[in-house]
Amino acid sequence: MRSEMRWRLCWESELELVDHIELSEFFQKAYGANGEFNAKPFEGGRSWAGARPELRVIAYDSQGIAGHAGVLRRFIKVGTVDLLVAEIGLYAVRRDLEGRGVTYHGAIHLMYPTLQELGVPFGFGGVRPAMQKHVERIGRHGFATVFTGMRVRSTQPDIYLNVPATRDEDVLVVVLPIAQSMGDWPAGTTISRNGPEL
């Protein structure tokens, strides 16, 4: 039997040290299950991997953190058009809850009124193809549009002498109309974050 879920929407400056440590441990387990390298950015109490979010939605149950999504306002370039977005990323669900209703869709619904208050035209997220089932539901209900065949460029979060400064990935792009309609989303199959992935 699943315990009741409690959601917390908070700004980054509202988090205490204990919150960062708890989130760090959560992300190490969630991302580390896909390979030890994926857990490394979260060592030492760090609760972000690339860019640091400014807003978080965190799901809790009787066992602690159950899920997480972060938000960061930034300008991206879609094709040749500079565009303000609220990037949604740093999504994770505790392994024992996968497929049980702690969803990307649920996190987006909870944070949507706050995204409207931010006055951004669109919400944006780059999702690896392996996450397709987690984002399909938003598209099915008309809440967002999921684009395939997109190439997204990001900078590395740190400088490495043996790794290029940027990386290009083929991802699913999730776009939520916030202050503008989907008809205003620029055409283009390439997106540059002009910074590290959230």
Side-chain angles (χ1 to χ4, degrees):
M1 185 169 156
R2 189 170 49 146
S3 63
E4 188 173 326
M5 202 66 60
R6 177 176 60 87
W7 294 87
R8 176 184 179 196
L9 186 65
C10 61
W11 293 98
E12 190 71 1
S13 60
E14 295 172 342
L15 294 176
E16 302 290 337
L17 180 58
V18 67
D19 295 315
H20 287 289
I21 291 169
E22 189 178 14
L23 284 163
S24 168
E25 292 168 357
F26 165 75
F27 286 127
Q28 287 180 63
K29 289 175 186 168
Y31 285 103
N34 296 321
E36 186 179 329
F37 178 77
N38 295 321
K40 286 221 175 280
F42 304 104
E43 292 177 351
R46 184 172 157 149
S47 66
W48 63 95
R52 189 168 176 173
E54 61 180 318
L55 181 66
R56 297 176 188 250
V57 60
I58 307 168
Y60 296 89
D61 67 7
S62 61
Q63 296 179 45
I65 296 176
H68 178 281
V71 175
L72 175 67
R73 285 173 285 187
R74 70 181 340 155
F75 279 91
I76 62 173
K77 186 169 276 199
V78 182
T80 60
V81 178
D82 285 318
L83 184 66
L84 175 65
V85 296
E87 182 170 359
I88 303 162
L90 200 55
Y91 172 72
V93 173
R94 202 173 63 226
R95 296 301 247 183
D96 64 299
L97 295 174
E98 288 180 353
R100 296 186 181 203
V102 183
T103 63
Y104 191 79
H105 180 255
I108 300 293
H109 266 290
L110 182 70
M111 68 174 70
Y112 193 79
T114 303
L115 294 176
Q116 289 177 309
E117 290 172 15
L118 295 178
V120 294
F122 298 99
F124 153 80
V127 181
R128 286 162 186 76
M131 296 281 294
Q132 187 163 353
K133 67 178 183 176
H134 294 287
V135 297
E136 282 176 339
R137 184 174 175 198
I138 340 177
R140 277 199 313 265
H141 295 285
F143 192 59
T145 301
V146 179
F147 292 98
T148 59
M150 301 292 284
R151 190 117 178 112
V152 178
R153 171 169 279 190
S154 308
T155 61
Q156 297 289 354
D158 298 301
I159 299 298
Y160 305 100
L161 298 179
N162 59 341
V163 176
T166 60
R167 83 170 175 253
D168 293 312
E169 297 178 284
D170 294 318
V171 297
L172 301 172
V173 170
V174 180
V175 178
L176 290 84
I178 309 286
Q180 290 182 263
S181 72
M182 282 306 302
D184 296 321
W185 179 259
T189 58
T190 59
I191 295 175
S192 179
R193 280 191 174 97
N194 295 312
E197 179 180 5
L198 177 63

